[in-house]
Amino acid sequence: MRFRRFKPMGKLFFAALIQASAALIVWLVTLPFEFYLSPVDWIALAVLLPALVAMTGILLVNGFEFTEVAWRRRWQREFRPATPVATHMEPFVSIHLPCYNEPPEMVKLTLASLARLDYENFEVIVIDNNTKDEAVWKPVEEYVATLGPKFRFFHLPKWPGFKAGALNFALTATDPRAEVIGVVDADYEVDRDWLSRLAPHFLANPKVAVVQSPQAHRDYQHHFFRRMANWEFDGFFRIGMHHRNERNAIIQHGTMTLVRRTALESTGSWSEWCICEDAELGLRLMHAGYETRYVDHVFGRGLTPADFKAFKSQRFRWAFGAMQILKGRWGWLVAPGPLSGGQRFHFLTGWASWFSDALHLVFTMASIVWTIGILAAPGVFSLPLDLFMIPVLAFFVAKAAFGPALYRMRVPCSWADVFGASLASMGLSHAIARGVFQGVFEEKGVFVRTTRTRAPGTRLAAAFAVIREESLMLVALVLAASGVAWRLGTDHREALLWAALLSVQALPYLATVVSMFISELGERAPVKSEAPKPAPARPRASPAAAAHLPIGLAPSPAARAD
């Protein structure tokens, strides 16, 4: 009744998913009343039942996202680029560009694109923190000096707080006229109309605190792994961000973002205790009653992680930071307060897939131990009933089906790219699981910069040392599945199901190994970045007409396929 905006098929699908989940849980709970269970079966039930309940919850969360994206009649909250306003009406924007040990030529390219912005009222503050090699930061300082008075450079030899610390320093150096703070990563080529098409959103409503455009990438088309990484990233901005934007609950990410200065400073600036300071700020602004807007239009392109090692390190950091946010803001998320029910829902369940990866690691370790018991002490350990194993296999199949189906609906890429993105995403499972557990049990994380350029002469053995744990898990699962099939035979249904379950659990680890091979041995054509091409100057509105320009909040067309 509440989701009238869903098409009938969507409502039927989600109702059926709820019914199936409820039936499954009731069926598992009543198993002891229907079958004789041995003590070992009771142990298996005690372990599997909580895991299956958690899996069911994750499946329902993923199913709700699938239903809303696939069968909505329209997006309720959709924002498009605003109409540019006259110069005297432009909010003054202070763009902050944090750097740490970045290649000078890459940073210069970003600065060149900012110098071409078709906007009058802005400044750019470059903060290089903790870079020791003068040959790295000095050329950037010299280049900034050639760009005119709108550009300033600061080198901080020893500065705490990682990226958040650098951004907080930039706030102290910001022009007093600045109404909006923009943040751009050092590898981005920014379009000329970025500010002119997004900054006017702050004029529409004083409660708007964040206007976010998507991350996008360049120079990936002829690199197998970078192409996989690009499309893996793209799915979130075509799918997840729209899903969250419906309830004013987007994830603010730390590039191509604009933030109202008074909102940022009044709520405590950037949090240096969290290595995902951007997502934490977004949640904090929502808790303060502000509105966030997601404009699904690409206004700049950066570089993908240089290789699988950097890709994995970045996702570990995100998972660790997410757990820091959940621990630090738990009271906001579980108790009634300023956050709406929809906002609490998204920040509690939005990382459901990452919790699924953590659960997968626990389940896999338990499965390996149980298999060793079956093979070494068959009189003590026995195979779980097939009634336990079939729902687990069904969960893996359903979860695996949602992602590719949504990609074909929302992401403008081929089936080959869908497969590549799925492979890259699956290969991150172990890193995410580790990030979740370490984020839960450790207080402080270390912000590790994501490398965008590859050092020449990387040794293959050193690269594969990064995935040592995943490789060992893969070998253990393959040996466990083979041992079950060899010892118990292939005509034993429960043995086949258990071997199949072990094989399915091995897929993420296999994906890690394959992704690393693609990263290291695939096509690695040299990356060439071109300077931003000049765009035609936009016409300026007259002062008289500017007051009547629409801000541009009508529904936008589908995400452009670039």
Side-chain angles (χ1 to χ4, degrees):
M1 292 297 293
R2 290 196 57 174
F3 295 108
R4 293 186 181 91
R5 67 182 186 279
F6 290 176
K7 296 176 182 177
M9 184 56 70
K11 288 186 277 191
L12 181 62
F13 170 82
F14 196 60
L17 190 62
I18 293 172
Q19 179 63 44
S21 301
L24 171 63
I25 292 172
V26 171
W27 179 39
L28 291 171
V29 169
T30 57
L31 272 176
F33 302 100
E34 302 291 337
F35 298 91
Y36 172 77
L37 300 182
S38 68
V40 174
D41 291 330
W42 276 105
I43 295 173
L45 180 63
V47 172
L48 284 173
L49 184 58
L52 284 168
V53 171
M55 288 179 181
T56 302
I58 292 168
L59 189 65
L60 287 172
V61 169
N62 291 339
F64 176 62
E65 178 186 49
F66 183 86
T67 303
E68 183 164 65
V69 172
W71 286 297
R72 73 192 184 285
R73 298 184 188 277
R74 61 180 179 83
W75 293 119
Q76 296 184 111
R77 296 180 79 246
E78 187 165 17
F79 305 101
R80 61 180 176 133
T83 304
V85 298
T87 300
H88 76 280
M89 294 183 64
E90 291 177 344
F92 192 97
V93 181
S94 181
I95 302 171
H96 297 169
L97 180 63
C99 304
Y100 166 63
N101 206 33
E102 303 288 1
E105 295 306 314
M106 183 182 76
V107 182
K108 289 179 184 179
L109 189 68
T110 300
L111 290 168
S113 70
L114 292 173
R116 291 176 170 85
L117 283 174
D118 192 13
Y119 198 83
E120 184 62 31
N121 299 316
F122 77 97
E123 66 171 356
V124 176
I125 299 176
V126 183
I127 321 99
D128 184 281
N129 63 313
N130 302 313
T131 302
K132 297 178 181 179
D133 188 354
E134 187 172 306
V136 174
W137 64 264
K138 197 67 176 177
V140 178
E141 181 184 42
E142 294 170 354
Y143 184 72
V144 168
T146 69
L147 296 176
K150 289 185 177 181
F151 289 74
R152 290 182 286 157
F153 178 90
F154 296 90
H155 174 63
L156 310 177
K158 292 184 179 180
W159 199 258
F162 307 112
K163 181 179 178 180
L167 291 173
N168 282 331
F169 172 84
L171 285 174
T172 66
T174 296
D175 191 305
R177 295 173 294 167
E179 301 172 61
V180 176
I181 303 297
V183 181
V184 177
D185 279 351
D187 60 306
Y188 264 71
E189 287 188 63
V190 180
D191 291 354
R192 293 184 61 164
D193 58 348
W194 173 47
L195 295 184
S196 64
R197 303 304 302 276
L198 291 188
H201 277 274
F202 293 95
L203 303 175
N205 185 342
K207 297 302 288 182
V208 172
V210 175
V211 179
Q212 181 74 65
S213 60
Q215 291 184 10
H217 302 97
R218 65 182 193 276
D219 296 336
Y220 64 85
Q221 292 85 348
H222 303 296
H223 300 72
F224 289 156
F225 174 73
R226 295 187 187 188
R227 187 179 187 96
M228 290 163 55
N230 171 76
W231 292 116
E232 196 276 340
F233 283 121
D234 207 59
F236 176 69
F237 295 102
R238 305 286 85 76
I239 300 167
M241 284 288 271
H242 284 279
H243 179 53
R244 300 180 71 111
N245 192 52
E246 287 290 84
R247 281 157 286 278
N248 187 29
I250 65 171
I251 290 287
Q252 184 188 5
H253 49 92
T255 190
M256 302 305 293
T257 187
L258 298 175
V259 188
R260 190 180 295 274
R261 182 183 184 181
T262 54
L264 172 60
E265 294 180 334
S266 65
T267 57
S269 302
W270 300 95
S271 293
E272 298 181 22
W273 58 267
C274 180
I275 60 174
C276 286
E277 73 292 325
D278 41 12
E280 193 280 332
L281 174 64
L283 175 60
R284 185 156 27 99
L285 292 171
M286 294 170 202
H287 186 265
Y290 286 102
E291 179 186 343
T292 61
R293 294 184 175 184
Y294 176 60
V295 179
D296 190 1
H297 185 97
V298 174
F299 285 103
R301 296 180 182 277
L303 299 174
T304 65
D307 50 29
F308 187 77
K309 176 183 177 181
F311 191 51
K312 176 183 171 183
S313 173
Q314 182 188 60
R315 201 57 55 94
F316 172 88
R317 172 166 58 86
W318 290 355
F320 190 104
M323 296 307 103
Q324 286 184 307
I325 293 171
L326 285 178
K327 290 191 302 182
R329 304 304 183 192
W330 182 252
W332 292 359
L333 299 173
V334 297
L339 294 175
S340 70
Q343 289 170 329
R344 294 200 303 274
F345 167 80
H346 279 295
F347 277 91
L348 283 171
T349 66
W351 292 299
S353 293
W354 292 358
F355 291 129
S356 175
D357 290 321
L359 186 63
H360 177 269
L361 177 58
V362 173
F363 196 77
T364 298
M365 295 295 293
S367 298
I368 292 172
V369 171
W370 195 271
T371 303
I372 293 173
I374 293 171
L375 298 177
V380 179
F381 291 86
S382 61
L383 288 166
L385 291 173
D386 54 5
L387 299 177
F388 295 163
M389 292 184 278
I390 291 173
V392 178
L393 285 169
F395 167 80
F396 283 124
V397 171
K399 188 174 181 295
F402 281 148
L406 286 177
Y407 259 72
R408 290 305 295 166
M409 295 176 201
R410 295 288 301 168
V411 183
C413 63
S414 66
W415 270 115
D417 288 323
V418 172
F419 177 78
S422 300
L423 183 68
S425 178
M426 193 182 300
L428 294 169
S429 176
H430 187 73
I432 291 170
R434 286 198 58 181
V436 168
F437 285 120
Q438 287 187 232
V440 168
F441 295 110
E442 297 179 12
E443 290 299 322
K444 293 184 179 181
V446 176
F447 190 105
V448 179
R449 181 179 68 92
T450 303
T451 55
R452 310 288 179 176
T453 56
R454 185 182 177 86
T458 303
R459 294 180 60 187
L460 196 61
F464 276 89
V466 175
I467 59 167
R468 180 176 57 252
E469 292 179 10
E470 291 92 328
S471 301
L472 291 173
M473 292 289 285
L474 175 61
V475 170
L477 285 165
V478 169
L479 290 176
S482 302
V484 168
W486 172 73
R487 176 68 68 85
L488 302 178
T490 56
D491 56 347
H492 192 306
R493 186 177 67 178
E494 290 177 346
L496 283 176
L497 281 173
W498 188 248
L501 186 57
L502 292 168
S503 301
V504 168
Q505 289 175 280
L507 290 178
Y509 304 106
L510 177 62
T512 302
V513 175
V514 172
S515 295
M516 180 60 85
F517 262 108
I518 293 173
S519 172
E520 295 301 312
L521 304 177
E523 181 181 355
R524 290 183 288 174
V527 177
K528 296 180 181 179
S529 298
E530 299 178 358
K533 295 182 174 62
R538 63 176 172 88
R540 289 285 184 181
S542 66
H548 303 289
L549 285 173
I551 295 299
L553 306 184
S556 67
R560 80 183 187 189
D562 59 357

